[in-house]
Amino acid sequence: MRYSTLSLAVIACLALTACGKRDAAPASTRTPAQVDDARIANAASEPQNWLVHGGDYQAQRFSGLDQITPENIGELKPAWSMDFDTTRGQEATPIVVDGVVYVSTAWSKVYAADAKTGRQLWQFDPQVPGPVAAKNCCDVVSRGVAVYLGKVYIATYDGRLIALDAATGQPVWTTQTVDTEGMYTISGAPRVGGGLVYIGNGGGEFGGRGYVSAYDAQTGQMAWRFYITPGDPAKPDGAASDAIMASLVQPTWFGPHNDYRGGGMVWNAIVYDAEFDQLYMATGNGYPWPRLIRSEGKGDNLFISAIVAVDAKTGAYRWHYQETPGESWDYDSTGDMVLADLTLNGQPRKALMHTPKNGFFYVLDRQDGKLISAEPYVPGITWATRVDMATGRPVIADNAYYTDKPVTLSPGESGAHGWQPTAFSPNTGLLYLQANAHATSRFIPRREEFEYVKGMDKLGLHHFAQHGPYEEPPQRDPNAPAVESYLLAWNPVTQQAAWKTPGSGGGVLATAGGLVFQGYSRDVYMGELRAYRADNGAEVWKHDTPNAIITGPISYAVDGEQYILAASGAGGGGIISAPKVMRLPQVGRLVAFKLGGSAQLPADPPLAGPVVQVTQRFPADVVAQGAQLYLDTCARCHGIGTRASGILPDLKRSATLNDAATWRAIVEDGTLASRGMIAWKGLIPDNSAEMIRAYVAEQARAEATP
Ligand code: CA
C-alpha cells in the first residue's frame, strides 16, 4: 500500500486525535459539525473530511486521500449502504465532517449517518407540499446540504432555507426565500462562507426572475439579495442589485417589462471565494426561450447565461462574464465553477474554469472577470463558430435565432455538459467532466402569438421539437454525426483534451490516488460506480450499484480507511428517459466503498408488470387530440410518446387507465397532488383527461400488440 506524507499524517491524526487545537477534544465528545471559514480554507489539511459541496472553497472536488490507487483498486468493495425512503431522483453531494455523513434526498429530506457504518443518526423531513413538484421540469431533487458552525442547512423544493441543529436534526430557524405564489423551486445546495448562507432558485422554464439571497448563518436574517434579470424599471427591488440593474442591465433588454420575462435562475453552482471575499453565481437561460419574444429580438439580456461576481458581504456587483449573450437555446451557464491557481503564458493566474451547456471551456481571471481563453470542449458546435478574444463574445451563427424558420443546432438543449459535478486534479492539472458531442435540438418557432400561462412550461417555441411535433417524424438529420458521450479530461492551460473514455456517466471525483471516480447509469434504474486512471483514462474498476448514479461521488476517511461514497438513484432530467426494460422503482440510497469492504448491496429491482389492456376503442380524432395534449402537458414528466422512465409513473401501466372516472379525478381534481400530480382543471381544456386517456390506451394497445 502506498502512503504519501499527507495521508500518513492524516492517519496519525485520526488515531491520536491530537493534531492541533481543533482536535484537542476526542471526536466523540466534540460538538458536531464545527465547520468554520478557517477550517474550510484549510480543507486540504484534513482530507478525511468533505467539508463543503465542492470539497473546499475552490470547488475542485479533489480528495487528498491516496490510499486507493490503480494498483489496489481491485480490492475496493462495498462497505455499507443506507436506504432513503423515497424512489424519486437523487442528486445530492454528501458532506462528511468528523465521521458523520450529512445528505439530502428527493423532497428535500435530510439524513445524518455514521460514516463508518451507514447507521442512521437522525432524519429530518421538511414536509414539502406535493403540488410544488409541478413547478419545475426535473423532479423534486436536492443537490445537497451545507454544514457550518454546528448547523446543517437545507434549501427545500418549496423555497425555504432551514437551519438544523447538526446534533439532533431539529430546526433552529426557517426562512422563506421565495414568493410561494411564484413559479420558484429550489434544487440547489446552499453554500456557506463569511458567516453567511447563500441560496439561489430554479424555475427558468416557467417564468420569473432568478436571484441569489444571503442569510446570516446563525440567525437566518437576510443580509442581501441580488437579482439576475431586471424587473419593472419604475419599481426598484430594494435589493443589492438595484444600482447595476439601472445602469448596466436594463439597457440590454428591449420591449415592455412584464412579470414573467427574465430567467437567469441560479439553480446550481454558487462558489464562495474566501481569497477575494467574492461570491460567484452561475446563471441559467433566459425566459421565454426565444429572444425574439423576450426582448424584441435584440440585446444581450444581462445577466442570463453568465457568471456574476459580487461582494460576498454586501452583494454589491463586482464583475460579470456573459457566455451566451442573447441566449435562446436553453444554454444554462449553471454548471460547476472550479477555482485554481494556473500558470498561463508563464504568469500565475487566479483562474475560474467553467464548462457550461453551450460547449465552450472558459478560463477567466476570477479577480476581475477577464476572459483568458475559450475553446470548444466538444466537436461539432454549430450555434457559434468561436469566441472572439478581442471582444470576449461568441461569434453566433447567422441562422441561430430561429426567428422565422426552424434550425437544428448543436449542442442541443441538454447541453454539451449538464449540471453533473466536474473535478479538477492539481496533480494532473486536468479538469474531468462528462461531455456529450453532436447532440442537437431542433428549434421551431411558434407561428401563433406567445401567451404566458402560469403553471405551464410555455417556452415560446415548439418544445420537444427535436422529437418532432406529434404528427411529424423525428427531425434529426440522418447525415448528422452520431451523438458521442464520454468522460473527458481537459487541459485548461492548452485548452485541449488529454483523453476521452466513452460512456454515459454522471458527476466525477478526482483523488490523490491518481483516480477519477464517476457515477454511471445503465438506464434510469441501474448503474455502476466506475474508476479511471486520472492520467490516461483507462478504466480500472467498476462495481454494480442497484441504482443509477448521476451525481458526484466524494471521498473521506474514518479510522485510517478511505471511503468512496455516492448518493444513488436516478431522476432529475432522467425522469423522461425510458429504460429498455421497465422495472419497479426502488428507493435511493447511499453506497459506500472501501478496500476490503464486505457488505452486500441490495438486489436489482424487479421487472415491472405488463401494460394495461383497455377494451374500449376510441375515435382516431380523439386519440390525435389526446396525443397533442399529452405532448404539451404530460410528456415532461411521463415521457415523450408515453415512453416513461417509471420514476414517475408509466401511464400505460396505471391501473386507472381502465377507469375513466378515477383517471379524470387524478388529472382534473388532483387526487394524487401529494405526489406532485396537481389538479390540471383550468390549465388544460375541458374533457382533456378523457382524450389523454384515449391516447395512452391506444399507446398501451400498440405496445401489447407485437
Ligand atoms: Ca434551463
Side-chain angles (χ1 to χ4, degrees):
M1 219 174 271
R2 187 164 65 94
Y3 289 112
S4 71
T5 327
L6 183 61
S7 65
L8 281 173
V10 167
I11 288 158
C13 233
L14 289 162
L16 304 170
T17 63
C19 304
K21 264 199 291 198
R22 194 167 283 113
D23 286 313
S28 57
T29 62
R30 197 192 296 154
T31 317
Q34 284 307 312
V35 178
D36 57 22
D37 287 340
R39 211 173 153 186
I40 302 168
N42 294 310
S45 70
E46 46 175 315
Q48 72 274 24
N49 290 317
W50 190 274
L51 296 177
V52 289
H53 193 74
D56 58 26
Y57 278 151
Q58 299 204 305
Q60 293 181 348
R61 287 182 181 259
F62 174 78
S63 169
L65 298 172
D66 63 357
Q67 194 176 78
I68 303 166
T69 67
E71 289 70 39
N72 64 22
I73 196 162
E75 296 307 310
L76 190 63
K77 302 275 166 61
W80 55 263
S81 66
M82 188 192 85
D83 285 4
F84 302 141
D85 67 357
T86 166
T87 58
R88 300 287 279 265
Q90 309 299 341
E91 294 188 355
T93 296
I95 303 284
V96 175
V97 183
D98 303 329
V100 179
V101 181
Y102 304 91
V103 68
S104 59
T105 73
W107 298 110
S108 322
K109 300 175 189 185
V110 184
Y111 288 84
D114 185 316
K116 191 177 170 70
T117 63
R119 182 175 62 89
Q120 184 182 316
L121 302 176
W122 53 256
Q123 192 210 2
F124 171 72
D125 181 353
Q127 303 285 335
V128 170
V132 79
K135 287 189 177 186
N136 212 330
C137 61
C138 303
D139 208 2
V140 288
V141 294
S142 168
R143 276 181 226 96
V145 296
V147 177
Y148 193 51
L149 307 176
K151 296 184 182 66
V152 178
Y153 300 90
I154 176 74
T156 66
Y157 205 70
D158 56 327
R160 289 168 287 161
L161 180 64
I162 304 175
L164 305 173
D165 183 318
T168 64
Q170 292 299 306
V172 179
W173 57 256
T174 299
T175 185
Q176 178 53 258
T177 73
V178 303
D179 173 2
T180 54
E181 296 298 306
M183 293 303 294
Y184 289 104
T185 52
I186 300 181
S187 56
R191 310 301 208 276
V192 291
L196 300 175
V197 187
Y198 311 94
I199 190 68
N201 42 58
E205 273 66 50
F206 292 84
R209 303 165 57 205
Y211 59 84
V212 169
S213 318
Y215 297 89
D216 184 292
Q218 297 294 8
T219 67
Q221 193 81 28
M222 190 162 87
W224 54 261
R225 176 165 292 174
F226 188 97
Y227 283 87
I228 303 302
T229 60
D232 184 347
K235 294 184 209 150
D237 298 305
S241 44
D242 279 5
I244 200 70
M245 286 290 136
S247 63
L248 188 69
V249 174
Q250 286 281 8
T252 69
W253 289 73
F254 294 85
H257 167 76
N258 58 52
D259 285 341
Y260 59 79
R261 83 167 185 181
M265 321 306 286
V266 181
W267 56 263
N268 182 44
I270 298 173
V271 175
Y272 172 77
D273 183 349
E275 209 168 337
F276 301 115
D277 202 23
Q278 211 157 244
L279 194 77
Y280 309 110
M281 309 180 287
T283 79
N285 57 279
Y287 183 87
W289 280 9
R291 185 176 64 171
L292 186 67
I293 297 173
R294 196 172 64 229
S295 181
E296 297 183 339
K298 48 192 179 181
D300 288 350
N301 296 175
L302 296 175
F303 291 118
I304 62 167
S305 296
I307 294 172
V308 183
V310 298
D311 182 309
K313 276 197 186 57
T314 65
Y317 169 86
R318 286 197 178 163
W319 58 258
H320 76 278
Y321 178 75
Q322 190 177 38
E323 292 163 341
T324 314
E327 187 281 324
S328 295
W329 312 277
D330 198 23
Y331 289 162
D332 298 84
S333 280
T334 43
D336 277 8
M337 296 174 282
V338 181
L339 315 186
D341 294 341
L342 298 179
T343 302
L344 297 158
N345 299 322
Q347 298 291 315
R349 300 294 287 264
K350 299 288 181 187
L352 183 155
M353 296 176 274
H354 199 220
T355 46
K357 283 166 77 177
N358 78 11
F360 285 92
F361 189 112
Y362 296 88
V363 182
L364 306 180
D365 184 318
R366 68 180 194 268
Q367 195 166 0
D368 56 14
K370 286 242 158 43
L371 178 65
I372 295 172
S373 64
E375 294 293 337
Y377 62 85
V378 292
I381 291 175
T382 58
W383 74 274
T385 50
R386 64 194 169 90
V387 175
D388 182 338
M389 288 306 296
T391 61
R393 299 172 65 88
V395 180
I396 297 177
D398 287 342
N399 61 348
Y401 280 102
Y402 59 97
T403 50
D404 52 5
K405 58 176 189 289
V407 61
T408 300
L409 294 175
S410 179
E413 62 188 87
S414 54
H417 166 72
W419 63 269
Q420 289 81 0
T422 61
F424 175 77
S425 167
N427 294 356
T428 62
L430 301 175
L431 190 132
Y432 305 94
L433 73 154
Q434 177 62 34
N436 305 296
H438 304 300
T440 61
S441 282
R442 188 155 175 84
F443 297 90
I444 304 176
R446 277 196 184 270
R447 299 273 170 236
E448 63 272 28
E449 193 74 8
F450 175 75
E451 183 198 5
Y452 179 70
V453 181
K454 189 174 168 184
M456 302 289 279
D457 58 343
K458 296 266 186 188
L459 300 172
L461 77 171
H462 285 287
H463 196 207
F464 297 137
Q466 73 272 35
H467 304 277
Y470 169 67
E471 68 276 12
E472 290 181 23
Q475 297 282 347
R476 196 173 161 78
D477 178 354
N479 300 318
V483 177
E484 290 176 50
S485 296
Y486 43 84
L487 175 62
L488 172 64
W490 191 263
N491 183 328
V493 175
T494 62
Q495 285 280 21
Q496 285 177 330
W499 52 258
K500 306 171 182 184
T501 299
S504 292
V508 294
L509 160 76
T511 73
L515 292 163
V516 177
F517 290 88
Q518 185 180 32
Y520 187 83
S521 307
R522 283 212 295 272
D523 59 32
V524 294
Y525 294 108
M526 295 157 64
E528 295 164 2
L529 189 63
R530 293 184 175 185
Y532 307 85
R533 287 187 66 103
D535 55 0
N536 64 16
E539 183 183 296
V540 290
W541 176 86
K542 63 182 176 184
H543 198 289
D544 279 3
T545 49
N547 293 95
I549 300 175
I550 56 177
T551 187
I554 65 158
S555 190
Y556 65 89
V558 181
D559 294 344
E561 290 185 300
Q562 182 183 0
Y563 292 75
I564 306 295
L565 175 70
S568 69
I575 56 171
I576 58 165
S577 313
K580 285 199 184 74
V581 179
M582 291 297 293
R583 292 178 179 266
L584 296 178
Q586 59 179 328
V587 293
R589 52 180 70 89
L590 285 175
V591 286
F593 293 83
K594 67 174 183 179
L595 296 177
S598 58
Q600 191 86 31
L601 295 180
D604 289 338
L607 298 176
V611 297
V612 171
Q613 291 301 302
V614 179
T615 44
Q616 183 186 351
R617 297 307 296 258
F618 301 90
D621 63 319
V622 171
V623 174
Q625 286 182 71
Q628 192 63 53
L629 283 162
Y630 179 95
L631 185 66
D632 289 344
T633 315
C634 317
R636 68 179 163 103
C637 290
H638 296 288
I640 294 162
T642 72
R643 292 183 297 277
S645 68
I647 293 166
L648 298 183
D650 175 0
L651 299 181
K652 300 186 299 298
R653 289 180 164 80
S654 167
T656 59
L657 188 55
N658 246 325
D659 178 350
T662 304
W663 179 278
R664 177 181 290 264
I666 293 169
V667 174
E668 294 188 352
D669 305 332
T671 51
L672 294 181
S674 66
R675 299 184 207 169
M677 179 64 189
I678 59 168
W680 289 90
K681 196 179 226 152
L683 288 168
I684 54 176
D686 288 349
N687 208 33
S688 293
E690 185 62 4
M691 290 190 277
I692 294 167
R693 189 174 77 91
Y695 167 64
V696 176
E698 291 301 328
Q699 291 289 111
R701 189 188 320 281
E703 184 167 320
T705 314

